[in-house]
Amino acid sequence: MKDGCASQKASKQRSIELPVLKNSAAQKDGIRNSRVSRWRAAALIALTLLMIAHVIQWRLMGRTISPIEPSEAMHTLQSGAINAGFIFFSLAILATLVFGRFVCGWGCHILALQDFCAWLLKKFGLTPKPFRSRLLAFVPLIVALYMFVYPTVYRFFAKPKNEPLIPQFTNHLVTSEFWATFPPVWVAIPFLFVCGFMTVYFLGQKGFCTYACPYGGFFRIADKLSPGKIRVTDACNSCGHCTAVCTSNVVVHEELKQYGMVVNQDCMKCMDCVSVCPNDALYFGFGKPAITKSVKKNYSLTWTEEAAAVLIFLASFLAVWDVYQLVPMLMALGIAAVTTFLAVRTWRLLRVKDLSFYRFNLKSSGTFQKAGWLFLSFALVWIGLNAHSGWVRYHERAGARAFENIQIPDELALARANPAQWLSPSDRENIVNGKKHLHAAANAGLFVNKEALSKLAWIEYLSGNTEQAVHLLGRAAEHQQEQAKALSFYYQGAILNRLGRYEQALTSLDQALAERSDLILAREERGESLWQLGRKQEAVLAWQDAVGRNAGLPLANNLLAGAAASLGKSEAAVAYEKQADRFTPADPFFHWMVGLRLQNVGMNELAEKHFGRALQLNPAFRARR
Ligand code: SF4
Ligand code: SF4
Ligand code: SF4
């Protein structure tokens, strides 16, 4: 590969004389076929089939073992929820500490995907070449620390004094919400494409492992400490067959010569080198770990390019992570790694006279070749899409921050349409900012961000644009699932109640309860719709249902007291009122909210009682009347 001055300089740092590598395919044929590669392929296929079977079993039965996925360990560290992912990851690290990275080589579906992609590329005559960066190689470890160490450190400094550092453990080994922490299926396809094909094509066969996988960050450290290594006997004649077959880009024969074992932490113990050695000189065995042994690598970037690469990686990662609430962290890391490669290589393409990529000549004697134009176009489109995502993400983040800073309690804002009088100056400022940023994100976005839509709906409601709020909540619900969907329908139903559109409100609230039957707020609102529609017995049943689920609901008890009074059941009215008084907090805002809700359904006498109580607690409320 002609790669400009920088890489030429880099390549001079070390030269490797490999009989098998410098000669033709005919000589390569002299290498024994690996007998273990088919066993490894079988293990990885079996693993993939087991994963598919796990999903099918959950779809059929509704409950299953929680995902056996290391990222789930984050939840254990944050909230104490012991799940299968935590157990698997702990055992995998312990196994790696003893045997080295066998789990990576024989038990990872992402590795299976990368191997499959590399195999396909080789069928087209393209052998992936490793992209080597000194600084980006630290990304997996940094992300691993963020995922698995930071939650505990954060708890240590931020937890309330009476809370223990280690959260109380709870059993989450079986779940009905198997997919809750995964992206939608239609995101999983580009995820696999980016983390499989693109990282392999641009960054080498283990591109995702090297620059994006946080679990690999820990596995590399564990491998360094492990006594289990690929070791060599005196029978080695430095033929280099082992290096030729290594898909982890380890210069096996050199490490054997220097240390008598493979010390490179990239070794995933696939055992191909052991299998192809013509002298049977290799074996897996235990001995001294290689903690102090290091390998010299041939890097692809100059130090200036390394610094630029770090900045590009960071910018790209922040631009795409969670954009549209769609791109998961691992996918964002894969995208950032590919973006960095493309940006650095494009920069080099513009500067040097000759450059190739695989067997394609991109630039020759300063003239762009057809492949060069194609590469440049693809890189610019990719980087442009990253920049666009960054723009959208910036507005999403700024809008979300403004939304989170709005202080008015939801219940008070929802008690009467147009809650302008309750908004503080800072609320008004956050509403203006939130609206500006969330509209900018929605207008520029290529996809719908369902959570941003819900936030925008709330901000529109607080601004007095109730119709727009109802519309946006409906759109958000179309894209949401379960809890989020139920909440969007609940808010939509509540706003429709305030607008006096009780039939429509009832429909929304029924949809909310269809998603989450335990959403008691929706039951209270549903009772209000029914009451206003004249279906008073059904309204009472709805409120009784709410109280049956939680006897200490002040609003539902008040509504039942008002209903009993208006239906002439004075004894029941007194009982419900007593129950309500027991649980109504001595908060003027809360009393005012209850008063407004009672007034909405014509229970004026009881409403006045709460307005009076609010005035007692805070005479300044007189100005609100
Ligand atoms: S580093 Fe990550 S992606 Fe690569 S094999 Fe190991 S666990 Fe799988
Ligand atoms: S270990 Fe075997 S395959 Fe590797 S260089 Fe020595 S003899 Fe050749
Ligand atoms: S050094 Fe050997 S066991 Fe390790 S990854 Fe390379 S071929 Fe596989």
Side-chain angles (χ1 to χ4, degrees):
M1 182 195 287
K2 284 174 272 174
D3 215 4
C5 318
S7 67
Q8 282 170 17
K9 196 170 139 197
S11 67
K12 278 185 197 155
Q13 289 168 7
R14 189 188 56 178
S15 82
I16 304 161
E17 289 297 322
L18 281 185
V20 283
L21 293 182
K22 69 179 180 181
N23 290 322
S24 63
Q27 236 177 331
K28 197 176 173 194
D29 283 343
I31 302 174
R32 265 185 2 199
N33 279 333
S34 167
R35 291 181 305 273
V36 288
S37 63
R38 66 189 58 172
W39 284 108
R40 203 165 68 87
L44 293 172
I45 291 169
L47 173 84
T48 310
L49 293 176
L50 277 174
M51 287 171 65
I52 294 169
H54 193 179
V55 176
I56 293 173
Q57 184 264 325
W58 165 63
R59 295 291 294 181
L60 291 177
M61 302 179 73
R63 272 174 80 73
T64 188
I65 295 170
S66 51
I68 307 168
E69 164 64 45
S71 60
E72 299 291 307
M74 269 179 86
H75 305 295
T76 308
L77 298 167
Q78 281 166 351
S79 63
I82 300 260
N83 51 46
F86 172 75
I87 292 175
F88 168 73
F89 195 33
S90 307
L91 292 177
I93 290 178
L94 284 177
T96 307
L97 273 168
V98 179
F99 301 104
R101 294 178 73 175
F102 273 98
V103 176
C104 279
W106 293 74
C108 172
H109 58 290
I110 298 288
L111 182 99
L113 180 69
Q114 290 178 98
D115 279 359
F116 172 68
C117 298
W119 175 81
L120 262 191
L121 285 172
K122 280 176 195 160
K123 290 271 164 213
F124 289 99
L126 303 169
T127 303
K129 294 206 169 59
F131 170 69
R132 294 190 188 277
S133 160
R134 303 164 188 84
L135 298 181
L136 293 185
F138 287 100
V139 168
L141 180 60
I142 293 168
V143 181
L145 292 174
Y146 167 74
M147 286 175 75
F148 304 111
V149 178
Y150 172 73
T152 308
V153 174
Y154 179 80
R155 279 178 70 83
F156 181 77
F157 289 107
K159 70 179 178 60
K161 275 200 177 120
N162 53 353
E163 219 178 80
L165 176 62
I166 308 288
Q168 199 182 353
F169 292 120
T170 49
N171 183 347
H172 285 248
L173 290 172
V174 176
T175 181
S176 54
E177 295 181 358
F178 178 79
W179 209 269
T181 50
F182 295 154
V185 175
W186 68 271
V187 176
I189 293 165
F191 174 94
L192 294 177
F193 185 74
V194 170
C195 299
F197 276 92
M198 294 196 79
T199 54
V200 170
Y201 185 69
F202 290 115
L203 307 168
Q205 181 151 354
K206 299 292 190 300
F208 186 80
C209 303
T210 312
Y211 298 116
C213 177
Y215 323 128
F218 281 171
F219 286 143
R220 280 172 63 84
I221 294 177
D223 186 88
K224 187 94 185 157
L225 301 172
S226 85
K229 293 273 182 279
I230 303 295
R231 295 172 189 274
V232 71
T233 65
D234 293 340
C236 172
N237 65 358
S238 293
C239 69
H241 287 199
C242 44
T243 300
V245 297
C246 179
T247 53
S248 293
N249 309 308
V250 178
V251 187
V252 186
H253 72 289
E254 277 205 348
E255 294 191 18
L256 297 173
K257 204 165 148 188
Q258 200 176 350
Y259 300 115
M261 60 181 157
V262 173
V263 300
N264 195 319
Q265 297 142 283
D266 293 337
C267 169
M268 298 194 181
K269 309 295 178 283
C270 69
M271 307 299 280
D272 281 341
C273 53
V274 177
S275 179
V276 302
C277 176
N279 301 326
D280 292 329
L282 287 175
Y283 65 101
F284 172 79
F286 294 94
K288 272 191 183 166
I291 300 168
T292 54
K293 315 274 188 294
S294 62
V295 280
K296 220 173 160 194
K297 284 184 184 168
N298 191 11
Y299 292 105
S300 315
L301 303 175
T302 63
W303 275 107
T304 315
E305 287 172 331
E306 287 281 359
V310 169
L311 294 177
I312 295 165
F313 188 97
L314 193 64
S316 173
F317 174 66
L318 292 176
V320 298
W321 182 21
D322 215 23
V323 65
Y324 311 111
Q325 282 241 312
L326 283 180
V327 178
M329 189 166 70
L330 295 191
M331 184 175 172
L333 289 165
I335 291 174
V338 170
T339 308
T340 308
F341 173 86
L342 288 173
V344 170
R345 203 43 75 97
T346 300
W347 176 239
R348 207 176 266 185
L349 179 62
L350 296 173
R351 284 171 56 230
V352 301
K353 284 191 171 171
D354 298 290
L355 192 71
S356 302
F357 179 57
Y358 285 97
R359 60 172 184 258
F360 309 113
N361 195 0
L362 304 183
K363 201 173 178 187
S364 180
S365 305
T367 308
F368 271 90
Q369 305 298 303
K370 204 169 159 190
W373 286 116
L374 269 174
F375 183 94
L376 188 64
S377 311
F378 178 79
L380 292 179
V381 168
W382 181 268
I383 293 165
L385 280 172
N386 264 256
H388 179 268
S389 297
W391 170 257
V392 172
R393 192 73 190 99
Y394 159 72
H395 285 296
E396 284 178 354
R397 282 200 179 99
R401 216 169 24 247
F403 170 84
E404 275 150 25
N405 288 335
I406 294 173
Q407 299 292 322
I408 181 172
D410 289 13
E411 292 87 351
L412 185 65
L414 272 177
R416 191 61 58 83
N418 199 353
Q421 63 164 320
W422 299 103
L423 298 172
S424 66
S426 93
D427 277 353
R428 288 173 200 278
E429 197 183 319
N430 283 315
I431 285 169
V432 171
N433 282 335
K435 207 193 263 196
K436 182 179 80 187
H437 288 297
L438 292 174
H439 271 300
N443 293 340
L446 301 176
F447 301 94
V448 172
N449 180 335
K450 47 193 191 279
E451 299 313 320
L453 273 186
S454 303
K455 293 183 174 86
L456 187 54
W458 184 242
I459 286 175
E460 289 288 5
Y461 172 73
L462 295 178
S463 313
N465 300 328
T466 40
E467 287 301 334
Q468 178 71 347
V470 168
H471 168 70
L472 289 170
L473 284 165
R475 273 190 65 204
E478 276 171 28
H479 299 276
Q480 289 166 323
Q481 305 287 331
E482 297 180 6
Q483 172 86 353
K485 190 178 188 127
L487 282 173
S488 285
F489 277 131
Y490 156 69
Y491 279 101
Q492 191 183 45
I495 295 171
L496 287 165
N497 262 347
R498 300 300 99 77
L499 294 176
R501 287 153 55 182
Y502 304 114
E503 288 285 4
Q504 287 173 301
L506 200 52
T507 306
S508 297
L509 294 164
D510 281 340
Q511 283 169 310
L513 290 167
E515 293 298 326
R516 288 297 297 253
S517 60
D518 57 349
L519 195 58
I520 289 179
L521 291 171
R523 291 188 186 275
E524 290 177 334
E525 285 286 353
R526 187 172 176 276
E528 184 170 329
S529 313
L530 292 164
W531 185 267
Q532 298 290 56
L533 288 167
R535 294 156 63 178
K536 298 196 170 179
Q537 285 308 331
E538 286 175 75
V540 169
L541 285 176
W543 290 324
Q544 281 176 339
D545 189 358
V547 168
R549 289 163 190 266
N550 180 355
L553 290 174
L555 179 61
N557 276 305
N558 271 300
L559 287 163
L560 281 168
S566 83
L567 296 172
K569 299 177 180 169
S570 48
E571 261 182 48
V574 171
Y576 280 126
E577 203 176 329
K578 264 192 192 160
Q579 180 78 347
D581 289 343
R582 268 185 65 203
F583 293 102
T584 307
D587 175 348
F589 286 99
F590 198 89
H591 278 287
W592 204 267
M593 180 277 290
V594 173
L596 289 173
R597 293 290 296 271
L598 291 166
Q599 205 176 45
N600 288 343
V601 287
M603 300 173 184
N604 293 327
E605 203 176 313
L606 204 49
E608 285 304 323
K609 176 183 132 183
H610 286 283
F611 290 138
R613 188 84 187 95
L615 288 171
Q616 267 177 5
L617 290 165
N618 186 349
F621 272 57
R622 204 167 298 282
R624 311 277 184 188
R625 300 220 71 176

